[in-house]
Amino acid sequence: MGAKLTPKIILEGTRLTHKTDLAFALNEHPRIVGPRRYRYHSPLVSAEWCAFTDVPWGRGPINYAPEEEAQAMETYATWARLFELNRYYSWIVDRFHVSTRAYQLQAGRRDPDFSWLDPRLRVLGFRHVLCTRRPETFAAARAERLKISGKPSQYDDLDAFVREQDLFRRLVRESSLPWLELDVTDGDVAGAADRVADWLEATGGLSAPWGVG
């Protein structure tokens, strides 16, 4: 029997970059979580959950109000402890603390201090996968998304996505976690998942000690 597959992936990026589609694909990829004879509920979490307010598209750990910063930091600390207690399992995270920094900086607020979080995540094998697309393709991606979106107004300003994508690149580089920039312009989610699997395999990220031992 080979080593137990316990990769830990944080997907980051601006909107229209297939992060959530990729999260589901990774969570069922046989080279990442192992072959499955039946479907079951493996962990997939997101800091994008707007659980701080009792309204649709409300606030949460990413877009918290200034007076909610302590609540957001406690949420991240709780997740970190959960990951530490359950380190020998695969975890796929659809947006996390880099998204929080990006949102808060763009809102003109204080840059939240996550210097305590990166070291805890690194020893557990967490890695960033930054999903990007070529700037000139955002318009076509928006046209597809508007067919299904419940909140079309969030896609009005495509230039904002291009600027945010550049900000994500800077913030991911500032993190101490290993990272991969993944171009998803072609919309081939299965192929993108394969490329993530290739990277994890090549760098020891699939099993403990996750390339950080």
Side-chain angles (χ1 to χ4, degrees):
M1 181 180 295
K4 183 179 181 180
L5 295 174
T6 56
K8 298 172 184 68
I9 302 163
I10 300 173
L11 298 165
E12 293 285 12
T14 191
R15 297 184 187 278
L16 302 175
T17 54
H18 296 293
K19 294 183 302 300
T20 301
D21 293 335
L22 182 57
F24 286 117
L26 293 172
N27 216 20
E28 296 185 343
H29 196 291
R31 290 171 54 206
I32 292 176
V33 297
R36 295 178 177 175
R37 296 182 181 180
Y38 60 92
R39 201 173 194 184
Y40 58 86
H41 45 76
S42 58
L44 199 163
V45 300
S46 175
E48 198 168 23
W49 296 337
C50 297
F52 288 5
T53 52
D54 190 21
V55 294
W57 296 290
R59 297 188 304 278
I62 290 177
N63 62 340
Y64 60 81
E67 64 273 14
E68 296 168 327
E69 181 173 346
Q71 182 179 352
M73 294 302 107
E74 184 175 353
T75 301
Y76 279 112
T78 301
W79 267 325
R81 187 57 183 146
L82 176 65
F83 297 149
E84 288 168 343
L85 292 170
N86 297 271
R87 66 182 60 203
Y88 297 114
Y89 211 74
S90 59
W91 290 93
I92 313 297
V93 184
D94 182 7
R95 301 189 74 188
F96 212 51
H97 60 305
V98 167
S99 282
T100 296
R101 290 190 64 198
Y103 181 91
Q104 296 296 322
L105 286 169
Q106 290 180 109
R109 300 173 185 165
R110 192 179 78 86
D111 186 357
D113 179 14
F114 286 110
S115 60
W116 58 273
L117 181 57
D118 266 10
R120 292 173 67 177
L121 296 178
R122 182 178 175 85
V123 299
L124 299 175
F126 275 91
R127 294 157 182 254
H128 290 302
V129 172
L130 175 61
C131 299
T132 61
R133 67 164 51 252
R134 294 194 299 274
E136 68 274 13
T137 68
F138 274 103
R142 175 179 60 184
E144 286 300 310
R145 181 61 58 84
L146 290 181
K147 297 176 182 178
I148 58 172
S149 176
K151 190 181 180 184
S153 62
Q154 65 188 315
Y155 304 107
D156 287 348
D157 185 1
L158 293 181
D159 288 338
F161 296 162
V162 176
R163 294 192 300 271
E164 186 175 59
Q165 182 162 273
D166 289 338
L167 176 59
F168 269 105
R169 285 192 176 103
R170 175 172 72 81
L171 297 179
V172 165
R173 291 189 183 107
E174 290 177 1
S175 170
S176 64
L177 303 185
W179 61 280
L180 170 72
E181 180 167 337
L182 188 69
D183 188 337
V184 298
T185 299
D186 62 6
D188 182 1
V189 174
D194 286 340
R195 296 199 300 277
V196 174
D198 291 342
W199 174 60
L200 291 172
E201 186 175 86
T203 57
L206 290 172
S207 304
W210 308 288
V212 295

